[in-house]
Amino acid sequence: MLPKLSPSELCGRYACEMPHALHVLSTALKLFDATHRRLGIPSGERRLLAAACRLHDVGFALVRRNHASASARLIRREGLSGFGGAAPARQDQLAIR
């Protein structure tokens, strides 16, 4: 079995559009930082959000139409370092379409 890739490595493998992904990341993290305490979301979830932002369009490498589903399939198939192991539901959270 091949080692799992980090979100950055997976983006590199599938040629993510990084300017867009980083814009989404920046916006989402600003919103998270401003609201997570009020909403009762643990600060540790910030890492999951960051990965999801970077990977949300990774499926464009396979298909344009319905790329969200392709992104979810890629994340599930490839796996991600740091998000698997004892909690497989974590990867499913990353792959929500």
Side-chain angles (χ1 to χ4, degrees):
M1 176 184 241
L2 294 173
K4 293 180 180 179
L5 302 176
S6 71
S8 294
E9 293 167 330
L10 192 59
C11 280
R13 177 175 284 180
Y14 290 98
C16 291
E17 184 186 329
M18 288 312 293
H20 171 67
L22 294 176
H23 174 74
V24 170
L25 173 65
S26 174
T27 302
L29 292 182
K30 286 176 189 172
L31 288 169
F32 180 87
D33 292 342
T35 62
H36 78 95
R37 285 182 195 88
R38 198 170 357 159
L39 298 173
I41 301 170
S43 60
E45 296 296 303
R46 191 177 196 274
R47 185 170 158 264
L48 178 66
L49 175 62
C53 290
R54 294 179 77 181
L55 295 172
H56 79 280
D57 278 343
V58 73
F60 268 123
L62 301 179
V63 295
R64 287 264 186 228
R65 188 171 190 211
N66 207 15
H67 71 277
S69 294
S71 296
R73 285 191 305 275
L74 269 174
I75 292 165
R76 286 185 184 113
R77 184 182 74 215
E78 296 279 345
L80 289 172
S81 63
F83 293 97
R90 304 303 279 163
Q91 287 189 26
D92 284 342
Q93 286 176 316
L94 278 167
I96 290 174
R97 343 177 226 177

